[in-house]
Amino acid sequence: MLLDESASGVYVIAVTPFLPDGAVDMASTDRMVDFYLEAGATGLTVLGIMGEAPKLTGEESAAFVRRILARVAGRVPVIVGASAPGFAQMEGLTKSVMDDGAAGVMIAPPGHLRTDDQIVGYYAQAVEFIGDTPFVVQDFPLVTGVQMSVPVITRIVQDLPTCVCLKHEDWPGLEKISALRKGLDRRVSILCGNGGVFLPEEMARGADGAMTGFAYPEMMVSVVKNHRDGTPERGRDLFDAYLPLARFEQQPGLGLAIRKHVLAKRGVIAHTTQRRPGAGLSPAGVAEVDLLMGRLTQRLAELG
């Protein structure tokens, strides 16, 4: 199945599990896929920024994606982050993963782009290399340093028919969603990031769902489902219960360590290992996360 403009729901950004020696943990990868699908994910996105993609070799990236695709077995679409320093790497990875059954790729702009024309020109050049592969524009200025205005995104969507989805991760960005929904001549999917911490508001502004990571993906699934079912207040009640932990996970530099710690405690991955460089949690940090997890369990019981 190929990604298209109708993409909606929750596309979970997957972590990359590692063994203590730094090798990719394929057994945990299988459990992780099962966990995300059981939580209600409508798609997976792998080799994203929080997936430690730049720390993998090209061979490891291809093998990791192949393992995930085999475990998913066509049940949901799988999007692969194909951002790279050069178009040759992007082209090679795109061809490899699409041949293996991926639904599309995600491309972030490199940090040296400054003008609107440079940004639009970059994506036009990328399409020359990835051909007719459907792609997601990743708008994440807090990390990339590239400011993509509404007119720039509009030009990309209008000029490049294979652009089918925007991963909206600007912050603040609610007005941007409204402007895009009003101004785009062609509808594309808008899936939002930032760990889901603005998801109720983003859905109300016209987003189609989430494309982000959080150690409790069921929270995002619940918010999206309740919005669709016309019961957004129930979704907000559940969102509020998870918010302290989601907020804690948004700490710059520590977010991935927190996410992997929670996933390990939930039995999803075997180890909290990150490839270097990567920040770990101190004993005090571990205690803080564990306290929040305990309070979440209590609050969910109260909510029924």
Side-chain angles (χ1 to χ4, degrees):
M1 67 184 79
L2 293 179
L3 187 71
D4 63 25
E5 294 88 346
S6 67
S8 63
V10 176
Y11 282 65
V12 179
I13 297 283
V15 301
T16 302
F18 295 107
L19 296 169
D21 64 2
V24 178
D25 183 352
M26 293 301 190
S28 287
T29 297
D30 289 343
R31 284 198 306 277
M32 178 185 70
V33 169
D34 295 344
F35 166 75
Y36 287 145
L37 296 187
E38 289 167 5
T42 48
L44 299 181
T45 303
V46 300
L47 300 185
I49 291 172
M50 292 294 273
E52 301 179 79
K55 301 177 186 177
L56 300 181
T57 67
E59 293 78 11
E60 287 174 326
S61 296
F64 180 61
V65 173
R66 196 172 297 123
R67 182 74 170 230
I68 286 179
L69 288 167
R71 192 71 174 187
V72 169
R75 287 175 287 175
V76 299
V78 176
I79 310 304
V80 180
S83 305
F87 290 125
Q89 301 99 308
M90 184 185 297
E91 180 183 31
L93 180 59
T94 298
K95 184 179 187 309
S96 171
V97 300
M98 294 305 290
D99 286 347
D100 288 335
V105 297
M106 179 170 66
I107 303 172
H112 66 268
L113 302 179
R114 290 293 177 266
T115 69
D116 290 358
D117 287 344
Q118 287 175 343
I119 297 168
V120 175
Y122 176 82
Y123 279 98
Q125 291 180 70
V127 168
E128 293 178 14
F129 284 84
I130 68 171
D132 59 1
T133 298
F135 73 94
V136 179
V137 171
Q138 185 173 13
D139 179 20
F140 196 6
L142 278 73
V143 169
T144 65
V146 178
Q147 298 291 333
M148 301 176 69
S149 66
V150 169
V152 164
I153 295 170
T154 300
R155 286 174 61 188
I156 294 169
V157 170
Q158 291 174 341
D159 294 351
L160 305 172
T162 51
C163 174
V164 298
C165 179
L166 170 68
K167 186 189 178 189
H168 170 73
E169 209 153 13
D170 205 347
W171 183 348
L174 296 176
E175 297 296 336
K176 196 172 191 177
I177 297 174
S178 295
L180 285 166
R181 280 293 179 233
K182 182 179 179 181
L184 288 175
D185 291 336
R186 176 172 68 87
R187 192 191 193 283
V188 296
S189 171
I190 298 178
L191 302 174
C192 297
N194 291 317
V197 294
F198 304 109
L199 189 55
E201 292 79 16
E202 289 163 342
M203 294 300 296
R205 292 288 189 126
D208 296 295
M211 183 183 283
T212 191
F214 178 45
Y216 291 87
E218 57 266 42
M219 178 274 281
M220 299 183 291
V221 171
S222 174
V223 170
V224 172
K225 182 180 185 302
N226 277 282
H227 180 84
R228 287 176 175 169
D229 291 347
T231 54
E233 288 306 310
R234 172 62 178 172
R236 283 184 176 275
D237 288 343
L238 291 167
F239 172 82
D240 290 349
Y242 288 97
L243 185 55
L245 193 51
R247 172 203 58 133
F248 203 75
E249 197 186 271
Q250 283 294 299
Q251 295 179 83
L254 280 181
L256 182 58
I258 294 166
R259 189 175 302 171
K260 283 195 164 183
H261 173 75
V262 176
L263 290 173
K265 286 207 70 171
R266 300 190 76 188
V268 180
I269 59 177
H271 309 282
T272 62
T273 310
Q274 298 176 62
R275 275 204 176 160
R276 296 181 181 178
L281 289 176
S282 67
V286 168
E288 288 161 349
V289 177
D290 292 348
L291 173 64
L292 291 172
M293 291 179 69
R295 290 180 61 84
L296 171 62
T297 300
Q298 179 180 349
R299 182 57 183 148
L300 291 176
E302 293 169 355
L303 289 170

